[in-house]
């Protein structure tokens, strides 16, 4: 009887050269679009990342965006390696974690999810895109910042800044002088040639009029002028939104899970192992 060969030891590292972690995330550039965008240019200084390697080959990685108060975290890779990253590397008390479904147990060894949403990453490219704009849409920039904050609420003030409005692509629909619907590129990565659409919102009294379709279409069209692919996130149980995106030509690329998570206490982690 021959014993099974031992797996190479896992090595955890923080802030390896950005080129190395970018190459790993680029193995699935559409699923990891947000992480790749945070590794671009000036944004790289606003993020921290950890890798797990076996025999000098990266097998898992996680990135935390420190510039945002809610600490988005993008993680993917081998389950055992992810467990080590979240246990020994990341120390944030709270995170909003996004990862493939297979990584959930690895995260839950150290963090407790307050809520977990089952999501789909959808993608569209130029040849599949079918624009559908049935309203008058307006490109939004720094001059419209007050209108954007009024639509999304006071809490969005720290997120929407003049710099973001100038850097990203946002479109909106006005009723009189009031901004009633808007959507924009949440992040854009020049190096990975992908943009992500997000922040789609319509005031309640203006919903079911196709406005979300129009602003999403306008943003997607503008983003495709500069990027090869455009992605977005949608809850798997949000059938109306999925139908809208499919009409625009979006297709499902991969599922993932996402939710706010709190780091477990040492006693909680020990109790979990005992059970």
């Amino acid at each position: 009887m021959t014993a099974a060969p031992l797996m190479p030891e896992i090595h955890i590292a923080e802030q390896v050269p950005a080129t190395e972690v970018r190459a790993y995330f680029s193995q699935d550039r559409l699923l990891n679009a947000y992480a790749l965008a945070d590794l671009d240019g000036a944004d790289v200084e606003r993020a921290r990342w950890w890798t797990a390697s076996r025999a000098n080959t990266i097998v898992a990685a996680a990135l935390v965006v420190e510039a945002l108060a809610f600490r988005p975290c993008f993680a993917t890779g081998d389950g055992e390696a992810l467990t080590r990253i979240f246990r020994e590397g990341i120390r944030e008390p709270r995170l909003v974690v996004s990862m493939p479904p297979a990584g959930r147990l690895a995260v839950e060894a150290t963090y407790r999810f307050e809520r977990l949403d089952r999501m789909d990453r959808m993608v569209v490219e130029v040849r599949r895109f079918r624009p559908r704009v049935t309203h008058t849409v307006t490109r939004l920039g720094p001059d419209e910042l007050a209108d954007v904050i009024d639509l999304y609420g006071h809490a969005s003030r720290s997120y929407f800044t003049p710099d973001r409005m100038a850097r990203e692509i946002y479109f909106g629909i006005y009723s009189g002088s009031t901004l009633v619907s808007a959507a924009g590129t949440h992040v854009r990565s020049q190096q990975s040639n992908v943009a992500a659409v997000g922040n789609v919102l319509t005031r309640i009294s203006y919903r079911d009029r196709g406005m979300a379709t129009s602003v999403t279409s306008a943003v997607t069209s503008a983003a495709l002028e500069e990027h090869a692919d455009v992605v977005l996130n949608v809850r798997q149980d949000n059938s109306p939104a999925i139908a809208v995106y499919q009409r625009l030509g979006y297709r499902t690329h991969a599922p993932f899970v996402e939710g706010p998570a709190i780091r477990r206490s040492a006693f909680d982690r020990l109790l979990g192992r005992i059970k």
Side-chain angles (χ1 to χ4, degrees):
M1 181 174 177
T2 304
L6 295 175
M7 290 288 288
E9 183 181 353
I10 295 173
H11 175 68
I12 306 298
E14 182 178 355
Q15 301 301 98
V16 300
T19 52
E20 294 182 20
V21 71
R22 183 182 292 112
Y24 178 76
F25 281 131
S26 294
Q27 294 176 40
D28 190 338
R29 52 186 280 278
L30 300 179
L31 182 61
N32 298 316
Y34 288 78
L36 287 166
D38 289 309
L39 288 167
D40 274 13
D43 289 336
V44 74
E45 297 181 359
R46 304 163 50 182
R48 293 173 64 198
W49 55 88
W50 294 260
T51 58
S53 302
R54 281 196 182 102
N56 297 318
T57 299
I58 296 176
V59 295
L63 178 145
V64 175
V65 182
E66 294 188 321
L68 298 175
F70 57 92
R71 295 294 195 267
C73 174
F74 309 100
T76 187
D78 173 85
E80 181 185 358
L82 280 178
T83 298
R84 292 277 304 275
I85 287 176
F86 279 88
R87 186 176 67 226
E88 302 169 23
I90 301 173
R91 296 292 179 179
E92 294 287 346
R94 288 177 173 269
L95 296 166
V96 176
V97 184
S98 298
M99 70 203 149
R104 174 180 175 179
L105 291 179
V107 176
E108 288 184 324
T110 308
Y111 283 81
R112 175 175 57 81
F113 281 101
E114 297 179 296
R115 186 189 74 250
L116 197 67
D117 295 325
R118 289 167 174 80
M119 310 288 291
D120 278 336
R121 173 66 48 81
M122 301 187 75
V123 60
V124 69
E125 57 276 351
V126 170
R127 66 181 179 84
R128 290 181 57 92
F129 179 52
R130 298 188 294 273
R132 188 182 179 90
V133 178
T134 57
H135 301 78
T136 300
V137 296
T138 301
R139 179 72 181 257
L140 305 174
D143 290 343
E144 289 74 37
L145 178 59
D147 296 339
V148 171
I149 292 173
D150 180 64
L151 173 64
Y152 288 94
H154 180 76
S156 69
R157 189 177 298 275
S158 61
Y159 179 83
F160 291 110
T161 62
D163 178 65
R164 177 175 292 279
M165 297 304 298
R167 182 179 69 249
E168 304 293 352
I169 301 170
Y170 276 83
F171 280 88
I173 297 172
Y174 281 87
S175 176
S177 60
T178 302
L179 182 65
V180 296
S181 183
T185 50
H186 182 64
V187 293
R188 292 197 286 161
S189 173
Q190 299 297 336
Q191 293 195 46
S192 64
N193 205 15
V194 62
V197 173
N199 301 323
V200 183
L201 181 65
T202 301
R203 294 184 189 272
I204 293 176
S205 58
Y206 289 87
R207 292 177 184 174
D208 300 320
R209 304 186 192 183
M211 291 185 178
T213 301
S214 290
V215 292
T216 302
S217 178
V219 171
T220 301
S221 180
L224 284 172
E225 293 179 3
E226 302 179 33
H227 303 277
D229 300 283
V230 177
V231 302
L232 55 75
N233 302 327
V234 61
R235 287 172 56 109
Q236 292 176 359
D237 60 2
N238 191 348
S239 299
I242 291 172
V244 166
Y245 302 143
Q246 288 175 334
R247 283 197 294 271
L248 294 175
Y250 281 86
R251 59 178 174 81
T252 299
H253 172 69
F256 68 100
V257 292
E258 179 177 78
I262 301 174
R263 189 173 179 86
R264 297 179 186 272
S265 67
F267 176 76
D268 191 14
R269 297 198 299 275
L270 176 61
L271 185 63
R273 288 198 295 271
I274 293 174
K275 288 180 179 180

